[in-house]
Amino acid sequence: METELLATPPATHVVYIPFVIFIGVVIGFVIGRKAGMKEGKADFLAGDDDDDLL
C-alpha cells in the first residue's frame, strides 16, 4: 500500500491542530507568567498597583 507524503489530511485536522496550538500558547503563557513573577522581572503581570507614576 502506497502512501503519499502530501496526501490531503482528514477533516479533523482543521479542528484539533488549532486546538492543540491554542492549548500550547495558553500553557506557555501561564508558565512564562509564573516564571516572570518569580524572577521579579514582570511586575506588570502580577497585577500589583504601583504608585511609581504619582
Side-chain angles (χ1 to χ4, degrees):
M1 181 169 80
E2 289 186 31
T3 58
E4 292 185 32
L5 183 61
L6 299 175
T8 304
T12 55
H13 280 60
V14 176
V15 174
Y16 79 79
I17 288 179
F19 179 73
V20 169
I21 291 171
F22 177 73
I23 294 297
V25 168
V26 169
I27 291 172
F29 177 78
V30 170
I31 291 172
R33 183 173 182 257
K34 287 182 181 179
M37 287 188 302
K38 185 176 180 182
E39 292 293 323
K41 295 179 181 176
D43 293 333
F44 65 93
L45 292 175
D48 294 333
D49 292 330
D50 291 334
D51 293 336
D52 294 341
L53 299 175
L54 295 178

